[in-house]
Amino acid sequence: MNRTEIITRADGPVTAELAPGVTVRVMATGSMGAVGVTTSLATFAASAELPYHQHSFSEVIVVVSGEALVLVEGRRYVLHPFDAIHIP
């Protein structure tokens, strides 16, 4: 089998601030050689939020600590540690 594995470190540099108090650390993406997947870690300061937005691809959110309020097409979800939601 011929395939490429990509290993990244969780303590690598923060690559973007998406909104005030919201930073993203990319773990794997096309520019790193990943094919068909992008994954990252987002950190939210207390009370920080992302504006409502859309993607042309699906998204999975997993809460590691704290609590997240997620709004999807008018539906409201409150996520706690280790809760996950897939948004098609």
Side-chain angles (χ1 to χ4, degrees):
M1 178 184 301
N2 185 14
R3 68 179 191 198
T4 301
E5 285 80 15
I6 297 168
I7 299 172
T8 59
R9 293 178 45 131
D11 62 353
V14 171
T15 57
E17 183 174 41
L18 297 180
V22 181
T23 56
V24 174
R25 184 182 318 270
V26 175
M27 304 301 289
T29 190
S31 65
M32 302 166 116
V35 177
V37 67
T38 295
T39 187
S40 61
L41 300 174
T43 301
F44 287 71
S47 300
E49 59 185 56
L50 279 177
Y52 192 84
H53 62 279
Q54 294 180 326
H55 297 283
S56 60
F57 47 85
S58 67
E59 180 174 5
V60 175
I61 298 170
V62 179
V63 175
V64 176
S65 67
E67 182 178 280
L69 172 63
V70 180
L71 303 174
V72 180
E73 295 183 344
R75 294 181 305 277
R76 180 182 178 110
Y77 303 92
V78 178
L79 305 180
H80 297 95
F82 305 107
D83 285 346
I85 185 171
H86 172 248
I87 305 165

